[in-house]
């Protein structure tokens, strides 16, 4: 497990949680040809919640968060983000989608652009910010992730951990209401993992709504309010981390934890 800054939260039981619902998924089904990858997913996420999705490869974790950002289109079911249906290709759906930040496994930075230019592109082209405003925003978030000194470098000049921190800063430059992370540390060398997790821990402390696909169980224990365990395209368990790690309900979750938690 990687050392991380102290971060304490008080889990809130769903019955007493009065925070606004920002993601409401009902009956979501997704197919890749004949493969039924998501099978009737129902999920509600409240403002400021920190949710970790875990499970074996092929269980549908990444597909689920890609559907939330409309990078994948589900064949059946609904996804409401702040009461806007993202299944419809409307102007309002496009606006709401621009408020969802996404950090990928492989950074997806533009190699021919400097760090700064990677960060200001979307705020200028999508949100219509002036270059001056976009640069101010980029400098603020690059500083927040501890990489402001690298603003003029190109992605190839940075380590993997630095590139992923740039990717997080780039997503934050759109000032998203929701952040999605798709295995953000899995492509990194082990010694670079903690620097990215530290940034994510600090982001969680700011009150950002976060859904994170990860196998970093130390991060899940420390930061998550809820852990979702997926298997076979279904959410098998949805529990506070203490319950999930100490008393998993399903034999499948017990077997999974036995393999990855030491």
């Amino acid at each position: 497990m990687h050392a991380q800054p102290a971060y304490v939260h008080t889990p809130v039981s769903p019955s007493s949680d009065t925070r606004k619902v920002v993601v409401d998924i009902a009956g979501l089904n997704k197919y890749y040809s004949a493969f039924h990858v998501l099978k009737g997913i129902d999920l509600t996420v409240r403002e400021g919640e920190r949710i970790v999705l875990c499970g074996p490869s092929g269980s549908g974790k990444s597909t689920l968060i890609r559907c939330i950002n409309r990078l994948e289109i589900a064949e059946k079911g609904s996804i409401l983000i702040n009461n806007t249906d993202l299944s419809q290709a409307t102007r309002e759906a496009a606006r709401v989608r621009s408020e969802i930040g996404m950090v990928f496994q492989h950074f997806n930075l533009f190699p021919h652009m400097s760090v700064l230019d990677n960060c200001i592109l979307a705020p200028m082209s999508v949100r219509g910010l002036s270059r001056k405003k976009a640069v101010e925003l980029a400098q603020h978030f690059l500083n927040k992730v501890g990489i402001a000194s690298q603003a003029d470098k190109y992605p190839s000049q940075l380590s993997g951990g630095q590139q992923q921190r740039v990717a997080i800063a780039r997503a934050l430059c759109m000032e998203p209401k929701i952040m999605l992370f798709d295995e953000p540390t899995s492509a990194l060398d082990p010694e670079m993992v903690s620097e990215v997790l530290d940034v994510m821990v600090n982001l969680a402390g700011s009150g950002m709504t976060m859904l994170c696909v990860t196998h970093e169980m130390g991060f899940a224990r420390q930061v998550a309010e809820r852990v979702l365990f997926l298997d076979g395209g279904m959410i098998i368990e949805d529990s506070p981390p203490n319950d999930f790690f100490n008393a998993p309900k399903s034999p499948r979750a017990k077997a999974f934890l036995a393999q990855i938690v030491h």
Side-chain angles (χ1 to χ4, degrees), residues 47-99:
E47 192 171 46
E49 267 198 299
R50 300 169 302 278
I51 296 176
V52 164
L53 296 81
C54 63
S57 296
S59 59
K61 310 178 297 295
S62 293
T63 301
L64 176 54
I65 66 166
R66 288 174 68 86
C67 284
I68 292 173
N69 202 22
R70 213 166 187 270
L71 293 173
E72 301 280 358
I73 308 299
E75 282 76 16
K76 185 179 177 184
S78 63
I79 300 175
L80 299 182
I81 307 292
N82 288 320
N83 294 317
T84 296
D85 187 353
L86 284 203
S87 67
Q88 307 300 314
T90 64
R91 183 173 295 180
E92 179 63 10
R95 184 193 67 78
V96 169
R97 185 173 174 240
S98 74
E99 297 176 343

Side-chain angles (χ1 to χ4, degrees), residues 26-238:
L28 199 70
N29 285 265
K30 171 67 183 171
Y31 294 83
Y32 292 133
S33 298
F35 179 48
H36 196 176
V37 64
L38 295 178
K39 302 173 182 175
I41 297 287
D42 296 316
L43 176 63
T44 298
V45 181
R46 295 183 181 273
E47 192 171 46
E49 267 198 299
R50 300 169 302 278
I51 296 176
V52 164
L53 296 81
C54 63
S57 296
S59 59
K61 310 178 297 295
S62 293
T63 301
L64 176 54
I65 66 166
R66 288 174 68 86
C67 284
I68 292 173
N69 202 22
R70 213 166 187 270
L71 293 173
E72 301 280 358
I73 308 299
E75 282 76 16
K76 185 179 177 184
S78 63
I79 300 175
L80 299 182
I81 307 292
N82 288 320
N83 294 317
T84 296
D85 187 353
L86 284 203
S87 67
Q88 307 300 314
T90 64
R91 183 173 295 180
E92 179 63 10
R95 184 193 67 78
V96 169
R97 185 173 174 240
S98 74
E99 297 176 343
I100 304 172
M102 182 90 177
V103 177
F104 300 88
Q105 181 177 346
H106 292 291
F107 325 138
N108 288 10
L109 300 173
F110 293 110
H112 63 290
M113 289 185 176
S114 69
V115 164
L116 183 65
D117 286 340
N118 264 279
C119 290
I120 67 175
L121 178 64
M124 291 174 64
S125 60
V126 178
R127 293 183 57 202
L129 265 61
S130 68
R131 181 179 176 86
K132 181 174 183 291
K133 277 278 190 189
V135 167
E136 288 174 0
L137 203 61
Q139 288 171 336
H140 169 74
F141 286 114
L142 287 170
N143 187 58
K144 192 178 180 75
V145 303
I147 205 163
S149 63
Q150 311 295 324
D152 295 328
K153 290 188 177 178
Y154 288 84
S156 62
Q157 296 174 288
L158 304 180
S159 70
Q162 288 174 322
Q163 289 186 62
Q164 193 60 292
R165 283 189 282 159
V166 172
I168 294 172
R170 179 181 61 178
L172 291 174
C173 283
M174 288 295 285
E175 299 186 291
K177 292 183 168 61
I178 301 166
M179 280 287 284
L180 308 175
F181 294 88
D182 188 6
E183 299 197 42
T185 60
S186 64
L188 301 177
D189 292 335
E191 65 269 20
M192 296 176 184
V193 169
S194 61
E195 67 183 73
V196 173
L197 291 180
D198 287 351
V199 169
M200 293 171 64
V201 169
N202 291 332
L203 185 59
S206 73
M208 175 68 73
T209 306
M210 296 170 61
L211 288 91
C212 181
V213 175
T214 185
H215 292 300
E216 296 291 339
M217 294 297 100
F219 174 81
R221 284 180 185 270
Q222 183 180 1
V223 168
E225 286 182 71
R226 291 159 62 192
V227 175
L228 306 185
F229 177 74
L230 280 76
D231 189 38
M234 296 180 287
I235 297 174
I236 305 298
E237 299 202 26
D238 179 351

